[in-house]
Amino acid sequence: MKTILASIALALLPVAALAECPWKDKTAMSCPQGQAWDGHAKACVVQSS
């Protein structure tokens, strides 16, 4: 029984990942001069180069 439940859970994981809206993090962002948008930090950061 545990094996069947584990198999079902593993089979549904990709479906749950696809259900997340891919457009929710897409925004038009402008940063002050000398800074750039960092997607991981989701903030403007000082450009290193």
Side-chain angles (χ1 to χ4, degrees), residues 15-37:
V15 174
L18 289 174
E20 185 177 339
C21 179
W23 299 281
K24 72 175 184 177
D25 290 329
K26 303 228 184 233
T27 58
M29 185 66 196
S30 60
C31 297
Q33 188 172 7
Q35 294 187 357
W37 181 254

Side-chain angles (χ1 to χ4, degrees), residues 1-47:
M1 184 69 171
K2 288 181 183 179
T3 305
I4 293 172
L5 292 176
S7 298
I8 291 171
L10 288 174
L12 293 177
L13 281 176
V15 174
L18 289 174
E20 185 177 339
C21 179
W23 299 281
K24 72 175 184 177
D25 290 329
K26 303 228 184 233
T27 58
M29 185 66 196
S30 60
C31 297
Q33 188 172 7
Q35 294 187 357
W37 181 254
D38 183 348
H40 293 291
K42 296 186 179 176
C44 291
V45 295
V46 177
Q47 288 181 319

